[in-house]
Amino acid sequence: MPASPKLFVTGATGQLGGLVIDTLLETVPASAIVAGVRDPAKNEGAVNALREKGIEIRAADYTQPATLASAFAGVDRLLLISSSENGKRKVQHRNVIDAAKDAGVGLIAYTSILHADTSPLFLAEEHRDTEAALAESGVPFALLRNGWYSEVYTWRLPLAFKHGVFMGAAGEGRISSAARADYAGAAAAVLAGGDHAGRTYELAGDASFTLAKLVAVVAEASGKPMTYQNMTPDAFRVAVLKAGAPEIVGKILSDTDAGVAKGALFDDGGALARLIGRPTTPFQATITEFVRHQQAGGGAPSHA
Ligand SMILES: NC(=O)c1ccc[n+]([C@@H]2O[C@H](COP(=O)([O-])OP(=O)(O)OC[C@H]3O[C@@H](n4cnc5c(N)ncnc54)[C@H](OP(=O)(O)O)[C@@H]3O)[C@@H](O)[C@H]2O)c1
């Protein structure tokens, strides 16, 4: 590998991608980093912010293999951030892996899902396919099996505040979430150096909580009473749709809660803290910051 390997981050206009690049910049020169952007013309604000940091921008659309072929030229290590387009990810990720192989990329780090091989979540299926594609490719790879971002739970708060009730279907299941920035730190650590080929990291927060505990934290931070209402997954899905959410959101939330009840988002292996070299961000901190920010009239923090 060259003295200053070329590090490529896909989905660089996304929230995780942006945090990975900011973390990399703490230890790596900007000239070593390339930001892959689906459509630079459509993301001017985010692209200009990256350019101002001295980062090279290359178009890299998972659906356009030609862009990927030129994007990966000269790249040593690649972070493939999983696409946000559920249902289309198998083909998209395989396009990225094929192009990386053709370009001679030396390592692909992929943001998978916690315990992908055994996860009951329907979201895990596309990740399993991508993990299989990586294994078939022959390109050295590392699996960053990310648990849930704590920020994800703030998405359910506006509805919960409206009714004073936080609905869910996770029962007593425990969730080992961490801040998005923690996962970004792990991805940056794996991309920036060391021998991670062949490694699988189950990444999750140091502590875990039930949804009832989460609700207690929200009530304390807001000073407003709130209770947790446990429902069957189907009743929860119907309630989410009734609140105006699209079908896919109802499916993801209810299926995820059902999986949480079976332990799908619990892990106490400590790999995330070890990779980032510090404890993970307590979920209470993320949730409390969100609630206080909203109460101060600031809406959601930009990273929620
Ligand atoms: N662990 C969790 O709790 C959790 C929660 C939500 C999502 N996720 C997964 O983790 C990923 C990163 O999270 P995030 O918070 O950074 O999500 P995000 O802010 O939505 O970013 C997703 C990124 O993927 C890019 N992308 C989507 N389709 C693409 C395509 N066809 N070609 C190239 N780039 C494409 C987006 O590009 P544009 O900027 O052009 O849209 C964006 O940069 C998500 O995409 C999703 O797979 C995990």
Side-chain angles (χ1 to χ4, degrees), residues 10-17 36-39 43 60-63 81-86 89 92 111 127 146-149 152 155 180 183:
T10 72
T13 47
Q15 299 173 90
L16 185 70
V37 175
R38 178 184 356 204
D39 183 352
N43 281 294
D61 183 336
Y62 302 162
T63 67
I81 292 185
S82 55
S83 167
S84 45
E85 299 186 320
N86 295 320
R89 299 194 282 190
Q92 293 187 2
T111 62
H127 291 291
N146 288 349
W148 256 219
Y149 309 149
V152 160
W155 302 344
R180 192 187 268 105
Y183 297 102

Side-chain angles (χ1 to χ4, degrees), residues 58-297:
R58 295 186 190 170
D61 183 336
Y62 302 162
T63 67
Q64 304 291 326
T67 66
L68 302 170
S70 43
F72 298 156
V75 168
D76 297 294
R77 299 165 80 108
L78 167 74
L79 174 65
L80 168 52
I81 292 185
S82 55
S83 167
S84 45
E85 299 186 320
N86 295 320
K88 299 180 179 168
R89 299 194 282 190
K90 290 185 184 178
V91 172
Q92 293 187 2
H93 294 169
R94 282 176 182 265
N95 286 342
V96 174
I97 294 164
D98 288 348
K101 180 177 182 171
D102 290 346
V105 167
L107 179 85
I108 302 175
Y110 170 63
T111 62
S112 185
I113 193 169
L114 191 65
H115 303 306
D117 48 346
T118 56
S119 176
L121 302 188
F122 90 92
L123 287 173
E125 214 247 313
E126 289 177 308
H127 291 291
R128 275 194 287 273
D129 184 77
T130 302
E131 291 193 2
L134 285 164
E136 288 156 20
S137 73
V139 179
F141 65 96
L143 299 177
L144 304 166
R145 288 183 171 167
N146 288 349
W148 256 219
Y149 309 149
S150 299
E151 288 87 342
V152 160
Y153 287 96
T154 67
W155 302 344
R156 287 158 74 166
L157 291 185
L159 182 64
F161 276 125
K162 209 165 146 191
H163 302 293
V165 175
F166 187 107
M167 291 178 279
E172 292 297 307
R174 301 194 73 83
I175 300 154
S176 311
S177 71
R180 192 187 268 105
D182 297 334
Y183 297 102
V190 166
L191 200 60
D195 184 12
H196 300 281
R199 302 289 302 272
T200 295
Y201 297 102
E202 303 289 355
L203 301 176
D206 296 337
S208 64
F209 57 92
T210 61
L211 287 186
K213 171 69 183 170
L214 172 89
V215 168
V217 170
V218 173
E220 190 180 336
S222 65
K224 293 184 186 149
M226 185 180 287
T227 53
Y228 174 59
Q229 184 184 351
N230 201 54
M231 312 164 89
T232 64
D234 200 49
F236 176 45
R237 187 184 61 79
V238 170
V240 170
L241 298 187
K242 236 173 146 180
E247 195 79 40
I248 182 68
V249 173
K251 181 176 176 184
I252 290 174
L253 291 183
S254 59
D255 181 75
T256 300
D257 269 20
V260 166
K262 297 178 196 151
L265 292 183
F266 175 79
D267 184 88
D268 60 0
L272 179 50
R274 282 195 296 281
L275 267 180
I276 60 181
R278 59 168 172 79
T280 61
T281 309
F283 82 95
Q284 293 94 328
T286 304
I287 299 296
T288 300
E289 186 203 351
F290 176 87
V291 171
R292 301 243 161 100
H293 199 274
Q294 272 212 323
Q295 284 187 327

